[in-house]
Amino acid sequence: MVKHLFFGFIPALLIFLGSSGYNISPLLFLFLIVAIGTILFSDKKGSIPGLFRDGKNRTHAVVKTNIKFEDIGGQERAKNELKEALDFLIYHDKIEKYGIRPLKGILLFGPPGTGKTLMAKAAADYTDSVFVAASGSEFVEMYVGVGAQRIRDLFAEAKELAKRNNKNSAIIFIDEIDVIGAKRDGNHLREYDQTLNQLLTEMDGIKEDDRPKILVIAATNRKDLLDSALLRPGRFDRHITVDLPDKHARKKILEIHTKSKPLANDVDLNQLSIETYGFSGAQLESVANEAAIYALRENEPMITAKHFANAIDKVLMGEQTDRKATKEEKRRVAIHELGHAIVAEKVKPGSVSQVALKPRGQALGYVRHNPSDDHYLYTRESIEKQIMIALGGAVAEEIFYGERSTGSKNDFDQVLNLIQHMIEAGLTSLGIVNTNYVSKDKIVEETNEILDLLLTKTKELLQEHKTVIEEALDFLEKEEVLSGEEFRQMIAKISKNK
Ligand code: ATP
């Protein structure tokens, strides 16, 4: 108010005096000094809540997150570890009594979409703290010093928000901490170093008797990239792994995200949790959402198992596209997919769930496999089976056309990764090796040997079942979808007639 009067009244007075013939130079000079001081002073005091000082609203600040630990499916171990650490914030009297150093930073790490942000929000709810969040990439600007200033603003804003709302604590969440916290190796930009140094300074400045208390939670997918200064005791010294969910956790996450959706009787969340092996929480949320969208598009009152099956395909491979393949291309794709499917049925009986000739994402067709239980260990034999399934497409093309096409590129990538995995795990004739000390030639030789052997085995298997491909081909070209059951019946019928 006073400021407005100052800036409104004084200039008017100066204009009046000036036009009345007074020498206003000394007054003008005085006014300018006071005005500049006022502006600087008000800027220092007032980073506006929710804003960095440069005026861009990058932070996400809330008094209450309304996310509870119960809203996070699975992750029981991570949740318990986090709660235990947070009790330091809640029961600070006890902590003080035992003279325990305050907990300043918790690092959550794990693959994308596993619920790290949710955990941080639940932590704020659990400790009744205000929640201020920013992402590592938001601190990075080309101007030196801006990132460091933003870190200062972030801490100031968290304290300010907690004070204004009578809260005893504030949680600052920094996602993608690796962007500013990567190892300093001398080649690094000075700007990154300054930002990281400022973060360390702010964290070092946190004291046990600070009110409000500040706790920093950071998240990353790449803990291995972080500078050791960040991980030192007294900084981010609690590390909690947030992993991809196992089968039970996937079911819980699906339950959470379908709670308010109308599910038909044929939807079996247990079965869906098996079929979504390897999915993150974010992907499972997406499956539930996409299934509901399919039901809405078809104007169906309930979300059915078919909608979920489509949603899983979409999350795995992308939306169905209108890419129109030529008739000849379609035939080649059908042969390719049937090649995968026959090998799959032969090496893992009952494993094909569907062969489809529908363009989805980058693929023109695909085979959906019945899920097996979650596996964490693989033998050489089981990896070789996976390799043969992946090779089946290209080999089938060779048998029918005499040559392969570019459609096998992804299959070959997968094959080479699997072979590399075998070599690194000591499952090949190279024995237990450190691949850094094995010559490239030796690795190439071993890879080619494994490939040749499995290509021959796959070729023999497909030659033997060429008639199945011929029969299934007509069906697939006409219907575009062949179910696992129909496919198995075809194989059985042809084998009987031989
Ligand atoms: P990123 O590493 O990509 O930042 P993140 O690990 O922080 O990901 P979140 O942002 O917490 O993942 O999760 C994204 C969304 O996925 C959540 O909003 C939620 O809908 C869903 N989700 C992820 N994990 C879970 C879970 N365990 N329980 C329920 N929902 C989950």
Side-chain angles (χ1 to χ4, degrees), residues 41-59:
F41 177 69
S42 69
D43 189 35
K44 190 167 168 79
K45 251 178 70 182
S47 38
I48 305 157
L51 296 180
F52 281 115
R53 191 171 305 183
D54 57 12
K56 292 184 189 152
N57 193 351
R58 295 186 181 79
T59 50

Side-chain angles (χ1 to χ4, degrees), residues 280-491:
S280 67
Q283 285 176 311
L284 292 166
E285 188 275 337
S286 185
V287 165
N289 195 49
E290 292 300 332
I293 292 174
Y294 280 125
L296 176 82
R297 267 190 212 159
E298 290 173 13
N299 240 336
E300 299 233 9
M302 296 285 188
I303 310 172
T304 64
K306 184 187 75 188
H307 299 132
F308 273 96
N310 275 334
I312 291 176
D313 285 347
K314 178 173 177 195
V315 172
L316 270 182
M317 282 173 287
E319 182 64 286
Q320 271 195 40
T321 59
D322 311 326
R323 284 167 68 189
K324 288 262 176 286
T326 63
K327 199 161 181 299
E328 193 43 50
E329 266 176 339
K330 241 179 137 180
R331 201 182 138 80
R332 191 185 265 273
V333 174
I335 288 171
H336 181 106
E337 298 307 331
L338 286 166
H340 286 309
I342 288 178
V343 181
E345 271 306 312
K346 288 290 141 187
V347 298
K348 290 185 191 172
S351 66
V352 173
S353 151
Q354 189 186 74
V355 188
L357 201 54
K358 291 189 272 188
R360 205 177 253 291
Q362 289 304 307
L364 291 167
Y366 55 92
V367 179
R368 211 143 93 75
H369 297 275
N370 280 326
S372 47
D373 285 341
D374 288 10
H375 281 295
Y376 302 99
L377 296 173
Y378 296 91
T379 59
R380 173 167 177 149
E381 191 192 346
S382 68
I383 299 180
E384 283 185 347
K385 285 180 180 173
Q386 288 180 52
I387 295 177
M388 285 176 67
I389 298 171
L391 290 173
V395 172
E397 285 188 54
E398 258 176 16
I399 291 176
F400 278 79
Y401 291 98
E403 62 174 356
R404 302 169 193 156
S405 68
T406 51
S408 307
K409 179 175 176 305
N410 288 345
D411 297 334
F412 293 155
D413 286 345
Q414 191 194 346
V415 165
L416 292 174
N417 283 338
L418 286 167
I419 295 179
Q420 189 182 344
H421 193 48
M422 270 167 70
I423 294 176
E424 284 167 356
L427 298 180
T428 68
S429 65
L430 290 176
I432 304 167
V433 286
N434 179 336
T435 45
N436 292 325
Y437 302 121
V438 180
S439 73
K440 268 197 185 139
D441 289 347
K442 264 218 163 314
I443 291 185
V444 171
E445 198 182 308
E446 181 67 19
T447 304
N448 287 341
E449 233 167 70
I450 296 172
L451 260 179
D452 287 346
L453 182 80
L454 295 178
L455 271 169
T456 310
K457 274 172 102 172
T458 309
K459 201 172 259 176
E460 282 167 8
L461 207 152
L462 284 179
Q463 284 285 11
E464 208 183 307
H465 295 89
K466 197 174 166 194
T467 36
V468 180
I469 299 191
E470 282 159 353
E471 178 142 332
L473 186 59
D474 290 337
F475 186 95
L476 197 56
E477 278 186 308
K478 232 181 280 150
E479 304 294 332
E480 298 201 332
V481 176
L482 175 63
S483 76
E485 253 341 289
E486 289 165 332
F487 186 51
R488 279 183 281 281
Q489 279 167 15
M490 265 181 206
I491 298 177

Side-chain angles (χ1 to χ4, degrees), residues 71-73 75 111-118 175 221 253 256-257 281-282 285:
D71 299 328
I72 304 174
Q75 305 293 6
T114 43
K116 296 182 287 298
T117 310
L118 280 184
D175 204 359
N221 311 137
I253 297 173
I256 289 172
H257 291 292
E285 188 275 337

